[in-house]
Amino acid sequence: MRPILMKGHERPLTFLKYNRDGDLLFSCAKDHTPTVWFADNGERLGTYRGHNGAVWTCDVSRDSMRLITGSADQTVKLWNVQKGTQLYTFNFGSPARSVEFAIGDKLAVITTDPFMELTSAIHVKRIARDSTEQTEESVLVIKGPQGRINRAVWGPLNRTIISAGEDAVIRIWDSETGKLLKESDKESGHKKTITSLTKAADGSHFLSGSLDKSAKLWDTRTLTLIKTYSTERPVNAVAMSPLLDHVVLGGGQDASAVTTTDHRAGKFEAKFYDKILQEEIGGVKGHFGPINALAFNPDGK
């Protein structure tokens, strides 16, 4: 199969997200402008203009009508997917690193970076059906973890929030009270910054990737470690096939460390692993820099 090359961003990519139907692909990059593409032929459909900083993350509602984006410009914006217009802007005192709609799209979880005097925090916002009724207030704000929280996602039935970041600990929080319910074991857990988190299609388990050159598979409810996938470079992005027992890891050294070496030495392939056997089963070459984002089409193909 020939890869489709989508050119349009001027700076490194940070995040990729398919919509639920798998016909649209949303991309975020450090060039301030999230972009939407047709997934089947790679044609650029449109851009979302309004951020003044790198856009770190995005999510799209279940009906593909609304897009939410988080940026280094200290805002999170809601967009009309079809028109590309801004519906609402949430303002924070620090860069927004991760966003995700809850099941039902009535809530969104947003994480903000440590900045000046502020610590990293997880915010839960209510998302109004009608954007004219949208308010700024948070339903819940959770503080506590040291360092940056790189990713926060909803647990089953929106009852919990799973977060991970620079302190290498995965935590599960009660999404109503903000109480810490569980955290990953220091022995079996990651040893360095956790860069990425992705859930299985059924939500029963999730995958974390870390700069400690490994990815780990966890049980969502008990936070029991199920599998570990070891590689020979830092992991920046992880994905799980919704169809087959495949886990994909992407990463590589930081671009600054690579310029002096051959591109093969930077190890920029996406690696495929057998989810059960934990063995590497293949790789996809083609990138000339670290892989920062991975996404599977919801049909798994």
Side-chain angles (χ1 to χ4, degrees):
M1 178 181 147
R2 221 175 107 259
I4 300 171
L5 197 60
M6 302 184 185
K7 285 187 170 165
H9 286 290
E10 289 155 15
R11 298 278 317 280
L13 289 164
T14 54
F15 199 76
L16 296 171
K17 181 78 189 181
Y18 277 101
N19 67 339
R20 200 180 145 72
D21 300 327
D23 59 340
L24 299 176
L25 177 64
F26 295 86
S27 60
C28 299
K30 291 184 179 176
D31 63 7
H32 311 185
T33 313
T35 301
V36 57
W37 316 76
F38 280 121
D40 56 351
N41 61 7
E43 194 182 318
R44 183 154 81 166
L45 190 56
T47 54
Y48 300 89
R49 294 185 185 278
H51 280 298
N52 305 319
V55 180
W56 295 121
T57 174
C58 70
D59 195 14
V60 58
S61 62
R62 200 181 167 98
D63 60 5
S64 301
M65 297 298 274
R66 280 177 301 180
L67 177 73
I68 186 169
T69 55
S71 166
D73 67 8
Q74 309 190 353
T75 67
V76 166
K77 290 182 186 290
L78 279 170
W79 308 81
N80 178 312
V81 168
Q82 288 170 315
K83 297 183 184 146
T85 50
Q86 290 183 42
L87 300 174
Y88 193 80
T89 300
F90 296 103
N91 291 293
F92 297 93
S94 54
R97 180 69 47 176
S98 148
V99 294
E100 190 182 62
F101 282 120
I103 300 160
D105 299 328
K106 290 195 175 80
L107 296 168
V109 61
I110 298 163
T111 71
T112 53
D113 287 358
F115 188 70
M116 311 290 267
E117 308 285 291
L118 297 164
T119 56
S120 201
I122 301 168
H123 307 258
V124 176
K125 301 279 190 191
R126 211 174 283 295
I127 304 294
R129 266 248 161 271
D130 181 353
S131 57
T132 55
E133 294 166 13
Q134 186 62 52
T135 58
E136 177 84 20
E137 66 194 297
S138 297
V139 187
L140 179 70
V141 178
I142 303 170
K143 292 179 176 157
Q146 289 304 302
R148 195 169 74 209
I149 302 171
N150 283 327
R151 200 86 183 93
V153 297
W154 293 94
L157 305 174
N158 301 341
R159 283 188 188 145
T160 53
I161 292 167
I162 304 162
S163 73
E166 281 188 337
D167 62 3
V169 180
I170 295 171
R171 294 181 175 84
I172 297 185
W173 310 86
D174 184 307
S175 61
E176 295 260 318
T177 62
K179 192 167 148 270
L180 179 63
L181 301 175
K182 290 190 176 71
E183 48 183 55
S184 59
D185 178 50
K186 287 268 192 295
E187 288 299 301
S188 60
H190 286 294
K191 302 294 182 271
K192 287 188 183 168
T193 298
I194 297 169
T195 52
S196 48
L197 255 189
T198 185
K199 294 179 287 189
D202 64 359
S204 65
H205 53 286
F206 66 91
L207 185 65
S208 61
S210 164
L211 298 182
D212 66 9
K213 305 184 180 176
S214 75
K216 291 177 184 286
L217 197 67
W218 307 84
D219 183 290
T220 308
R221 285 197 169 74
T222 61
L223 206 52
T224 311
L225 179 66
I226 307 171
K227 302 277 179 187
T228 299
Y229 311 93
S230 299
T231 171
E232 65 282 354
R233 65 193 140 219
V235 178
N236 301 338
V238 291
M240 266 184 288
S241 167
L243 207 60
L244 303 160
D245 284 329
H246 290 174
V247 164
V248 191
L249 311 184
Q253 291 158 295
D254 196 29
S256 59
V258 172
T259 44
T260 51
T261 55
D262 181 38
H263 72 87
R264 287 189 300 274
K267 306 195 166 80
F268 303 132
E269 313 105 285
K271 297 266 188 173
F272 281 71
Y273 286 76
D274 186 294
K275 193 175 186 177
I276 317 298
L277 303 175
Q278 309 173 61
E279 287 167 5
E280 192 181 316
I281 49 177
V284 181
K285 292 186 172 70
H287 287 288
F288 290 105
I291 296 172
N292 298 327
L294 288 170
F296 252 105
N297 193 306
D299 68 5
K301 296 185 180 143

